[in-house]
Amino acid sequence: MSRMSWPFIAGAFPNICRTEGLYLYDDSGRKILDAAGGAVVTNVGHGRVRVAEAMAAAAIETSYVVPPFQTPSRLALVDILDQDWLPPSLTRAHFASGGTEANEAAMKLALQYQQAIGEHQRIKMVGRSISYHGTTLATASISGHPGRKRGLESALPHYVSVPAPYPLRAPEGLNGASMGQYYVDQMRDVLMAEGPETIAGFIAEPITGSSGGAIVPPEDYWPKVRALCDELGIILILDEVMTGFGRTGLDFGYQHWPIAPDILVSGKGLAGGYAPLGGVFTNERVGSAIESAGYQVMFTTFGAHPSACAAAVEVLNIMREEALVERAATQGAYLHNQLASAFSEHPFVAEVRGRGLLAAIEVVADRSSLARFSIDRGISNQIVAEGLKRDVFYYFGGTGEVRDVVCLGPAFTATNAEIDQMVDILVESVTAAVSSG
Ligand SMILES: Cc1ncc(COP(=O)(O)O)c(C=O)c1O
């Protein structure tokens, strides 16, 4: 028996010894339906032998080589991204070991770009009030996620924050046409107060991930934010760690609007959970300015690991061969339809939201006033626990301030029957959690 506590804070977590399709099997043979795709990661599903074989082949071929050197799997990944996934405007790639590192690199690139073009006073990065970008000191600081800053608050550096769209709880009187403008005006006010000439970049998720629970902004929000960044000389970083590579039913979440980022960040689904990998892709304006200035873009030792790149190539090939992005759109529509019919009249669910196979419910104590359950109640954790008792795993959501959110983000291969089970068990789990208090 080990002395060592794993995870760090011990809890009652299952011991998973096999995964296949959408299922996790524990050491007693129990079968758990993974409605969350892990941490919204396993886009092509578990148990893809060809991905494992490609990783093994890459490990045999070039086990480890420093990230700036080229290897067959690195070149293949850059090639498939360039030919088949990224918009032509994004011409430069940097690879990290995950989403946090990739966002950290993206923020550094925005800062370096401004220095490179002589905008030396642009030294601030801006985030949003509801967001998650990672767990390092900088990415945690810029995240609008109080729950993940506990015990660190006084040590974290200050980052400028603008209000994130939260249509469910937007001020009364705003409608579809005025709501986007409202949030963009708020953003402008904050930037003006800070001095826009001091701002290097703005980082945001196109559709807010688990921190807000799959919040889709008002339709005109993104085009207006893009225009505001252009007007004020601010680099737009879109964090697509959760939404990228098909999750929302298009290749990238930002493609739901007529905009393009200066820097696009990915992670999670890029290698489908088979390997740790994050990607940072910049447009030529950013890339060439940094190159001309002679600045370094420092790599992490395991960034662009050959086996991780090989995994990503296979995952991306599978996505195209099986038309899984299209499937995320159709199965996502089915999931939203089933969630809507299960919860549209539910007394304790205020909203079903999301896009494609990124979905969430927001649970409330009172549907008409949107009053929340008390924070001590931990209702969304209770719902996740009730789901697990019933052999379905949902993803914890919320920031501590945005509370009581439960997320779903299954593999794109999910069948209608599996989606039905996710929804049925979610209804049971909400009822069980609410009535247990
Ligand atoms: C939107 C977003 N950005 C960044 C991250 C951090 O990525 P990682 O946990 O791979 O470091 C996450 C993880 O949940 C995320 O959802």
Side-chain angles (χ1 to χ4, degrees):
M1 186 70 174
S2 172
R3 262 185 332 112
M4 189 138 271
S5 167
W6 165 261
F8 187 87
I9 308 286
F13 295 104
N15 185 2
I16 302 299
C17 36
R18 191 165 77 79
T19 59
E20 182 67 43
L22 270 81
Y23 295 94
L24 317 175
Y25 297 85
D26 79 3
D27 50 2
S28 68
R30 183 177 159 214
K31 182 177 173 188
I32 298 169
L33 176 61
D34 187 0
V40 193
V41 175
T42 62
N43 294 1
V44 299
H46 299 283
R48 299 281 193 163
V49 173
R50 63 186 266 198
V51 180
E53 285 172 350
M55 292 174 69
I60 292 165
E61 192 175 54
T62 57
S63 58
Y64 175 80
V65 182
V66 286
F69 288 15
Q70 297 179 344
T71 72
S73 65
R74 286 175 182 161
L75 289 172
L77 178 57
V78 170
D79 202 44
I80 191 174
L81 288 168
D82 180 39
Q83 299 295 314
D84 201 21
W85 288 87
L86 294 172
S89 60
L90 299 179
T91 54
R92 308 246 177 167
H94 170 84
F95 295 102
S97 318
T100 300
E101 275 181 11
N103 276 328
E104 183 99 9
M107 286 162 50
K108 287 165 68 183
L109 289 169
L111 292 163
Q112 286 177 309
Y113 165 77
Q114 300 290 4
Q115 294 305 304
I117 63 165
E119 292 279 317
H120 300 297
Q121 73 294 346
R122 290 190 185 265
I123 55 170
K124 297 180 192 165
M125 292 296 305
V126 179
R128 297 195 301 179
S129 57
I130 304 167
S131 59
Y132 182 62
H133 301 296
T135 188
T136 54
L137 290 173
T139 54
S141 300
I142 203 161
S143 296
H145 199 308
R148 290 184 181 163
K149 300 188 194 188
R150 288 179 60 210
L152 299 168
E153 295 86 345
S154 43
L156 291 177
H158 168 73
Y159 280 86
V160 181
S161 176
V162 301
Y166 191 0
L168 176 69
R169 294 177 187 277
E172 244 174 81
L174 294 176
N175 56 31
S178 56
M179 199 184 282
Q181 188 63 51
Y182 167 80
Y183 288 108
V184 176
D185 287 345
Q186 292 223 317
M187 176 169 170
R188 179 186 284 277
D189 289 349
V190 173
L191 299 179
M192 288 302 164
E194 285 292 330
E197 71 290 350
T198 66
I199 310 289
F202 171 60
I203 183 166
E205 302 148 77
I207 294 174
T208 309
S210 66
S211 59
I215 299 177
V216 181
E219 209 42 44
D220 58 337
Y221 174 80
W222 275 115
K224 287 182 165 150
V225 168
R226 175 71 268 189
L228 184 60
C229 290
D230 287 342
E231 177 195 329
L232 301 177
I234 295 170
I235 290 293
L236 176 60
I237 302 172
L238 291 182
D239 173 353
E240 295 241 19
V241 170
M242 189 173 276
T243 51
F245 295 101
R247 172 59 53 192
T248 68
L250 293 177
D251 288 358
F252 296 99
Y254 80 83
Q255 291 167 335
H256 292 285
W257 297 276
I259 60 159
D262 298 306
I263 304 180
L264 177 73
V265 182
S266 66
K268 296 188 186 266
L270 170 58
Y274 288 85
L277 188 65
V280 187
F281 311 106
T282 78
N283 62 20
E284 194 52 28
R285 176 164 66 102
V286 171
S288 61
I290 292 173
E291 183 176 40
S292 306
Y295 296 151
Q296 266 208 21
V297 177
M298 186 52 193
F299 55 83
T300 52
T301 299
F302 294 120
H305 190 280
S307 289
C309 292
V313 169
E314 276 314 296
V315 164
L316 297 179
N317 280 333
I318 289 170
M319 296 256 274
R320 290 303 191 222
E321 284 165 27
E322 298 180 14
L324 290 183
V325 178
E326 293 79 356
R327 192 175 166 87
T330 52
Q331 295 310 91
Y334 184 73
L335 171 64
H336 285 279
N337 193 41
Q338 299 305 89
L339 285 170
S341 45
F343 290 111
S344 59
E345 307 290 322
H346 198 286
F348 298 109
V349 173
E351 190 172 55
V352 172
R353 57 187 181 235
R355 199 53 83 82
L357 281 174
L358 179 62
I361 56 168
E362 180 159 338
V363 180
V364 284
D366 177 26
R367 192 189 163 100
S368 55
S369 68
L370 299 182
R372 295 168 161 116
F373 284 95
S374 84
I375 197 159
D376 310 333
R377 180 83 184 265
I379 192 82
S380 51
N381 286 351
Q382 259 182 287
I383 294 169
V384 172
E386 292 292 343
L388 210 44
K389 275 193 217 164
R390 292 165 177 76
D391 296 335
V392 180
F393 176 60
Y394 305 101
Y395 199 54
F396 312 85
T399 64
E401 275 171 20
V402 176
R403 298 206 305 268
D404 309 342
V405 166
V406 179
C407 300
L408 297 91
F412 304 169
T413 50
T415 62
N416 288 3
E418 286 164 338
I419 289 174
D420 290 342
Q421 192 187 346
M422 291 170 203
V423 175
D424 292 347
I425 298 293
L426 189 56
V427 173
E428 275 184 35
S429 304
V430 171
T431 306
V434 167
S435 47
S436 74

